[in-house]
Amino acid sequence: MTAPTRAALALALLATLVAGPAPAAQARVPAAEGDVTWSVQPSTPAGPDGRTELTYQVAPGTTVTDWVAVSNYSATPATFRVYAADATTDYETGAFTLVGADQASTDLGAWTAVDSAASVCPVTEDPAAEAACVAGLGVEVTVGAGERVDLPVAITVPHDATPGDHAAGVVASYTSTGTDAAGSAVQVAQRVGTRLHLRVDGPLTSVLTVSGAVAGYSGAAWPFGGTAAQVAFDLTNAGNTLMSAEPVVRLTGPFGTDLGTVTLDPVADLVPGGTAHVVAELPGVPPALLLSGAITVTPSGPEDPATPAGEVVTASVRAWAVPWAALGLLVLVAGGVTATVLLRRRSRRLLGEDLAAYADQVRAEALAGRPDHHDHESESAR
């Protein structure tokens, strides 16, 4: 690989994880030799057994063994890197996903070895060495066209593992070569996997918290118009169980005037310690001067009766909603009226002063022209 090619190297990651009744997650990517389509699913040494995910409940210090199947539905052989990666919550979307392929797992992904291959890297202060190690974790397998490979999986739970839910995924990554917008060669890696859930025995807590609530108003041009208001907050799983919840945001104006309620899509499978940024938008909100937002997050009932149900969490936030354009116009009009009144008052004062001066002048001239006035002056002179 040339230096320009290495400089232009890009890695695109797609983690498609089983969440429903589908027997396996599948990915399809164009390649030079034809489309490559593959899947990963729970298995046995003899092939898939119908499970949709790998799920266990164990005590600390336990070792669990299982199998996954990597199926190549393509017309040509394909080589995959199969490994485990910690699950996380995407902050922007709230989606259940996996840590990037360039990140080392520290939890369930690090406890899980595929086909006895390495799942953790030695501690090092050399970033390049660490990156090279992470890129080589797991096992590389070549699967023939239309064939399947069943791989053993071993999960070694530490003796000091924290109680509660731990989540990861077993993925098969396929790397192909393409070009970027500048025409440089890039490597594109896509990965597809099956979910891996493990609950460690011990006390369970289901707690959600809401923090960082903010509200905004884009501003209506006129007092009787309406525009969008936004309410955003961070939803964090502060417990040790996997949780889902339904957020609702209600907006009110002065004196409790109802301005609208929006029920957001549920935040599903929020991992312990994970945070999702939730944004609600309420259209057609009038500029009611002061808006109050009430946030209510209701945890979904756990399917497992052994899992404690979380409590409803609430929060509030306020925002100014002022029709600035109309207010600015009102200020201009008020300023114009005030200026007009002041100008008129000044004109009247000046006119009054001019009339008074003119009257004094006329009076003086009239007095100067009277005969008795001259005779009086002559008499005074004698």
Side-chain angles (χ1 to χ4, degrees):
M1 183 182 296
T2 64
T5 301
R6 288 196 298 269
L9 185 65
L11 190 63
L13 301 174
L14 172 66
T16 307
L17 301 174
V18 177
Q26 295 184 14
R28 179 176 179 271
V29 60
E33 64 276 10
D35 290 347
V36 176
T37 305
W38 73 103
S39 72
V40 179
Q41 62 194 118
S43 183
T44 69
D49 56 5
R51 288 177 294 167
T52 59
E53 59 186 23
L54 301 168
T55 305
Y56 318 97
Q57 180 166 350
V58 298
T62 302
T63 297
V64 179
T65 58
D66 213 324
W67 294 77
V68 294
V70 180
S71 300
N72 178 15
Y73 305 112
S74 314
T76 58
T79 299
F80 307 96
R81 184 168 69 93
V82 187
Y83 62 98
D86 285 345
T88 186
T89 296
D90 185 270
Y91 176 75
E92 295 297 335
T93 66
F96 180 98
T97 186
L98 301 180
V99 298
D102 58 344
Q103 293 180 254
S105 295
T106 59
D107 197 73
L108 181 54
W111 305 345
T112 305
V114 179
D115 201 19
S116 301
S119 59
V120 295
C121 292
V123 178
T124 177
E125 295 183 358
D126 183 356
E130 182 178 358
C133 176
V134 171
L137 292 177
V139 61
E140 193 172 86
V141 296
T142 298
V143 185
E147 295 182 358
R148 184 192 75 247
V149 172
D150 298 303
L151 299 171
V153 174
I155 305 169
T156 304
V157 183
H159 290 278
D160 60 351
T162 57
D165 293 339
H166 301 261
V170 178
V171 302
S173 175
Y174 176 79
T175 302
S176 60
T177 302
T179 56
D180 61 12
S184 300
V186 295
Q187 288 187 337
V188 180
Q190 284 188 298
R191 56 186 186 172
V192 63
T194 186
R195 290 192 182 191
L196 171 58
H197 291 296
L198 183 140
R199 173 168 289 183
V200 177
D201 292 342
L204 300 178
T205 58
S206 298
V207 180
L208 293 174
T209 63
V210 171
S211 61
V214 294
Y217 187 73
S218 52
W222 304 106
F224 302 105
T227 187
Q230 300 83 28
V231 175
F233 57 93
D234 287 347
L235 180 63
T236 300
N237 183 350
N240 63 2
T241 63
L242 202 67
M243 296 188 70
S244 299
E246 184 178 87
V248 176
V249 175
R250 180 173 180 260
L251 207 61
T252 58
F255 311 107
T257 305
D258 187 13
L259 299 178
T261 301
V262 58
T263 299
L264 302 173
D265 292 336
V267 178
D269 296 332
L270 192 62
V271 301
T275 298
H277 186 61
V278 181
V279 179
E281 183 165 310
L282 294 91
V285 176
L289 299 182
L290 183 62
L291 304 178
S292 298
I295 301 166
T296 303
V297 180
T298 304
S300 302
E303 296 181 1
D304 180 5
T307 303
E311 296 182 355
V312 175
V313 59
T314 61
S316 61
V317 66
R318 290 186 175 182
W320 291 104
V322 181
W324 295 111
L327 185 61
L329 180 60
L330 181 61
V331 170
L332 289 176
V333 171
V337 171
T338 301
T340 300
V341 171
L342 292 176
L343 287 174
R344 286 184 177 180
R345 288 180 179 178
R346 183 173 183 275
S347 298
R348 290 176 181 175
R349 180 174 56 80
L350 293 176
L351 179 60
E353 291 175 356
D354 291 342
L355 290 175
Y358 180 71
D360 291 342
Q361 180 181 353
V362 170
R363 190 178 300 108
E365 291 176 353
L367 291 174
R370 288 171 53 183
D372 58 343
H373 179 71
H374 294 290
D375 291 345
H376 178 72
E377 286 182 350
S378 299
E379 195 66 32
S380 296
R382 288 197 294 269

